[in-house]
Amino acid sequence: MNGLRATRTQSGRSPTLVMSRYAGIGHGRGSDTPAMDKTLSTDTPITAPPAVDNPTTTAYPVIAAISFSHLLNDMMQSVLLAIYPLLKLGLDLSFTQIGLITLTYQFTASLLQPLIGLYTDRRPMPYSLPLGMGFTLVGLLYLSQAGSFGAVLLSAMLIGMGSSVFHPESSRVARMAAGNQPGLAQSLFQIGGNLGSAIGPLLAALIIVPKGQGSAAWFSLFALIGVIVLSFVGRWSSHHAASFHRRMRAHAGTGLSRRQIGWSLAILGLLMFSKFFYMASLSSYYTFYLMDKFHLSLESAQLYLFAFLFAVAAGTVLGGPLGDRIGRKRVIWISILGVAPFTLLLPHVDLFWTSVLSIVIGLILASAFSAILVYAQDLVPGKVGTISGLFFGFAFGMGGIGAALLGKLADATSIETVYQVCAYLPLIGLLTAFLPNIRRG
């Protein structure tokens, strides 16, 4: 035993503990003990077992990769919306047909997400991420050559399918790479999508509008980059999926009944309704509100809209890490109900305070989504893909339905009425009181 050389294992156990475990093998079996003594008396070092995942370590390169891919994904999707005027003129489409294109995209992007998340929870598919980006690539190529309304619908469907595969699986990877900071990981993932949605229309204005519909094919190069990046992410995910699944199963006990979990998810759905309906009122109609009430030019109104969208991006980043520090339920309280005083004031102030309040509203309200999503994942930790798909799909759906219904309200009344009605939506945040207190995931 004097010649024994042992190394400390990666799990942190001392050589003495490792030696004790080996010494206990064969205890009570005389035929094994001499052999074990012989083994321990040699100078052969005891090597450490293979490294295992450290559940507290945040894999920032992986999160950066999926955030960048989220930027590419949402940028390419926003191209479809940005070239509606070209499609309408070039193919002589009606507004009803334009609405059907949006419906086709939203249907495939929102309704398929929870189904795909449910399937991949049961049968993990790490390489589904580059496959989903491949759908977007084909959709953009087909859109660039679409010569009929039916072809445009098929393009919209393919782009929507790409989104439906990307969001639940990439959100699962964000949780997998998060370590003990799931809120921060979701926020960094979300900011990529926000930036992509902002960049897409700008690039479309610079490239597609002057060069025509066919130039949309150039955006497929971004999809190809996304396929390459996500292939590496898929490889990383395949090496960590099993340990992540075991880790989530080990933390599956929240102490809540299935009925309590169901009610909690329903409350989170209502909070999402409140958030995305109000966000739709600002993102879709804020420029019209400023032009109508304060007689601003379109260019000036767009500057105010940019300030609001910048605040939304900042709020998206802040919400996740705040939830990691102070608890996600507190962030939900602040981000939904806490914005109510500002939304109630907004319809009754001058231009300066309108701009200030819109920035405050965007900053606070945008912090909600990461906190809500991670809270829901903590409620059902074994179903990260299902929950991500459900909530991303719901977000897509509420944004689309909200914009349509608020547009109809504006046509029937006035644009100011939209903001007077929507001002009360954050009061739905009072339902947060009925959410259970669960430990941070």
Side-chain angles (χ1 to χ4, degrees):
M1 298 292 289
N2 292 335
L4 176 65
R5 294 199 308 269
T7 59
R8 182 176 294 272
T9 67
Q10 291 187 5
S11 60
R13 293 188 293 272
S14 68
T16 303
L17 291 177
V18 175
M19 290 164 56
S20 300
R21 175 168 291 186
Y22 278 113
I25 298 176
H27 180 70
R29 295 182 296 179
S31 60
D32 293 336
T33 303
M36 181 57 65
D37 290 338
K38 183 178 180 181
T39 301
L40 291 176
S41 65
T42 67
D43 288 336
T44 303
I46 300 173
T47 57
V52 295
D53 289 332
N54 185 347
T56 65
T57 301
T58 304
Y60 287 105
V62 177
I63 295 173
I66 59 170
S67 181
F68 174 68
S69 301
H70 199 186
L71 183 151
L72 295 178
N73 182 80
D74 286 20
M75 177 187 71
M76 291 180 292
Q77 290 170 10
S78 65
V79 167
L80 173 64
L81 307 178
I83 66 170
Y84 276 176
L86 284 179
L87 295 175
K88 188 177 187 302
L89 292 174
L91 301 177
D92 194 26
L93 302 181
S94 65
F95 283 111
T96 300
Q97 288 173 313
I98 293 293
L100 287 174
I101 297 171
T102 303
L103 178 63
T104 301
Y105 164 72
Q106 294 281 13
F107 180 85
T108 53
S110 61
L111 296 186
L112 288 180
Q113 287 195 49
L115 299 177
I116 291 173
L118 179 63
Y119 182 83
T120 54
D121 275 335
R122 295 177 177 177
R123 297 183 179 181
M125 300 176 64
Y127 290 99
S128 62
L129 283 171
L131 177 64
M133 192 66 76
F135 279 117
T136 303
L137 189 155
V138 175
L140 286 170
L141 288 174
Y142 201 61
L143 177 65
S144 68
Q145 303 300 317
S148 66
F149 175 61
V152 174
L153 287 181
L154 180 57
S155 304
M157 186 179 299
L158 288 169
I159 294 172
M161 288 176 65
S163 178
S164 67
V165 174
F166 175 81
H167 283 101
E169 189 62 24
S170 56
S171 183
R172 185 211 310 277
V173 173
R175 185 63 186 257
M176 195 182 302
N180 59 357
Q181 302 184 89
L184 173 63
Q186 284 296 332
S187 289
L188 294 176
F189 170 63
Q190 290 298 324
I191 193 63
N194 286 350
L195 291 175
S197 297
I199 293 172
L202 177 62
L203 291 180
L206 294 174
I207 299 173
I208 299 178
V209 172
K211 296 181 180 295
Q213 180 184 340
S215 60
W218 288 105
F219 283 82
S220 63
L221 294 176
F222 293 113
L224 183 60
I225 294 172
V227 169
I228 296 171
V229 172
L230 291 174
S231 295
F232 287 102
V233 172
R235 183 180 180 183
W236 180 90
S237 176
S238 67
H239 292 160
H240 295 78
S243 61
F244 173 72
H245 184 72
R246 288 193 301 269
R247 201 162 69 238
M248 297 306 291
R249 287 295 185 186
H251 293 80
T254 60
L256 302 175
S257 67
R258 296 184 69 176
R259 183 176 181 182
Q260 287 175 308
I261 292 173
W263 275 112
S264 299
L265 292 175
I267 290 171
L268 293 176
L270 289 172
L271 296 176
M272 292 271 288
F273 159 80
S274 168
K275 168 186 161 50
F276 282 98
F277 254 67
Y278 193 87
M279 291 293 282
S281 73
L282 282 172
S283 59
S284 298
Y285 301 107
Y286 187 43
T287 53
F288 296 105
Y289 175 75
L290 295 173
M291 293 166 65
D292 181 74
K293 184 173 182 177
F294 301 111
H295 309 292
L296 297 184
S297 65
L298 176 59
E299 292 77 9
S300 298
Q302 285 176 329
L303 292 177
Y304 286 92
L305 177 62
F306 173 79
F308 164 73
L309 293 175
F310 183 83
V312 169
T316 301
V317 174
L318 294 174
L322 274 177
D324 291 333
R325 289 178 176 272
I326 68 174
R328 294 176 235 296
K329 185 176 176 180
R330 290 180 181 175
V331 174
I332 295 171
W333 266 117
I334 297 169
S335 60
I336 303 294
L337 185 62
V339 83
F342 307 109
T343 61
L344 290 168
L345 280 173
L346 182 68
H348 309 289
V349 296
D350 60 18
L351 177 61
F352 172 78
W353 285 109
T354 295
S355 64
V356 171
L357 290 176
S358 67
I359 291 172
V360 173
I361 290 168
L363 185 68
I364 297 175
L365 198 56
S367 66
F369 186 67
S370 294
I372 290 174
L373 180 60
V374 178
Y375 182 95
Q377 291 175 347
D378 288 342
L379 281 174
V380 196
K383 301 289 184 182
V384 175
T386 303
I387 293 298
S388 300
L390 179 66
F391 277 78
F392 273 107
F394 193 74
F396 270 74
M398 285 299 98
I401 294 172
L405 291 180
L406 293 176
K408 190 170 184 179
L409 176 63
D411 285 336
T413 56
S414 68
I415 195 69
E416 290 188 40
T417 302
V418 169
Y419 290 91
Q420 292 168 357
V421 172
C422 289
Y424 295 92
L425 285 174
L427 295 178
I428 295 176
L430 290 168
L431 293 174
T432 306
F434 297 99
L435 290 175
N437 295 311
I438 60 176
R439 59 178 179 78
R440 301 179 199 177

